[in-house]
Amino acid sequence: METTSSSTVPVDVVLPCLNEAEALPWVLERIPAGWRAIVVDNGSTDGSAEIARELGAQVVHEARRGFGAACHAGLTAATGDVVCFCDCDASLDPSLLPQVAEPVLAGTADLVLGRRRPVSRRAWPLHARVANRELARLIRRRTGVRLHDLGPMRAARRTPLLALNLTDRRSGYPLQMVVRAADAGWRVAERDVPYRPRAGRSKVTGTWRGTWQTVRDMRAVLAEPPAANRTPTAGVPGGGR
């Protein structure tokens, strides 16, 4: 893994990227002013890394293929006190990240997820919505946290996130983050965000097979036994659920 730039900013935005040349200009121009975009190239063949670098983003190269591998590479490259995650396919608007991060910055929540609100049926296929609803139910049963969506847009403080010792490097990474945060007593919250049709074809939920493979991976994460005192609460006043 190689990186460019090491400047420190208050908030870093991790953008896992695999062949997103079409979406990158729109995504990067909407990063909040003063926040740093970290584009994690996960083996793109369409020039995504070069486009991101030309547009001023820090570029991290992660050779190991997998959504979790890309997200974690971005997390370890981040230096900001708060780290946000956002898909790089233009389905989510990075300009809304301050709304998602605000409870973390204010100390009223430890992990905030953007609850996706589709703007059209095309934005979120039926099979993906059904799978997401089932995952939300399983999360409630496993952790007691009542979520509506395992949203890919999220925010948390960097040091406590690293202390969760996330190990999944595939599609279970975002779920493992929520489960381990809940086990640690973090306050988990949601904020509504519009969800638009993505640019290009989804690598995960574009097919029934891909969707249910993801669900199967996530079931494995849910089957992990709770680890007592895996990590302390996120360290803000009133930590805990």
Side-chain angles (χ1 to χ4, degrees):
M1 182 177 72
E2 66 175 288
T3 66
T4 64
S5 176
S6 58
S7 60
T8 301
V9 293
V11 181
D12 287 331
V13 182
V14 174
L15 299 158
C17 177
L18 176 58
N19 293 328
E20 301 291 2
E22 178 183 352
L24 269 169
W26 184 87
V27 169
L28 290 176
E29 74 178 7
R30 301 182 73 79
I31 297 294
W35 294 20
R36 178 174 58 172
I38 301 177
V39 173
V40 185
D41 182 63
N42 202 206
S44 298
T45 57
D46 65 350
S48 289
E50 292 74 17
I51 292 171
R53 190 176 289 108
E54 289 172 1
L55 292 173
Q58 173 175 345
V59 176
V60 173
H61 294 281
E62 175 53 63
R64 179 165 46 168
R65 191 66 67 87
F67 182 75
C71 287
H72 203 71
L75 175 60
T76 56
T79 57
D81 182 46
V82 171
V83 176
C84 295
F85 296 83
C86 185
D87 280 353
C88 201
D89 57 12
S91 61
L92 294 164
D93 186 348
S95 71
L96 301 177
L97 281 169
Q99 299 177 24
V100 175
E102 190 277 332
V104 175
L105 292 166
T108 59
D110 304 312
L111 174 63
V112 181
L113 282 66
R115 180 185 180 185
R116 291 169 290 183
R117 295 293 198 172
V119 301
S120 69
R121 291 185 179 181
R122 191 166 66 89
W124 207 352
L126 175 61
H127 59 271
R129 283 184 280 124
V130 170
N132 186 72
R133 190 177 302 119
E134 171 65 5
L135 282 171
R137 184 186 69 81
L138 293 173
I139 291 169
R140 286 195 297 271
R141 187 172 70 180
R142 164 64 176 76
T143 68
V145 174
R146 298 187 64 83
L147 292 177
H148 299 87
D149 180 21
L150 191 67
M153 179 181 277
R154 51 186 61 193
R157 294 194 179 272
R158 177 177 57 86
T159 300
L161 266 181
L162 289 168
L164 291 177
N165 295 318
L166 302 178
T167 57
D168 192 284
R169 295 295 181 265
R170 293 173 30 143
S171 53
Y173 186 87
L175 175 61
Q176 191 178 57
M177 183 186 297
V178 172
V179 170
R180 293 195 175 182
D183 286 350
W186 288 26
R187 295 163 300 171
V188 182
E190 292 181 312
R191 290 291 183 274
D192 287 356
V193 293
Y195 191 49
R196 299 173 173 81
R198 61 156 289 143
R201 182 178 177 83
S202 172
K203 288 83 173 175
V204 176
T205 58
T207 65
W208 279 96
R209 180 178 181 181
T211 297
W212 289 111
Q213 177 64 49
T214 299
V215 171
R216 188 167 67 177
D217 289 347
M218 291 185 174
R219 281 183 180 272
V221 172
L222 289 166
E224 294 179 358
N229 300 318
R230 189 191 297 276
T231 188
T233 57
V236 294
R241 289 206 309 276

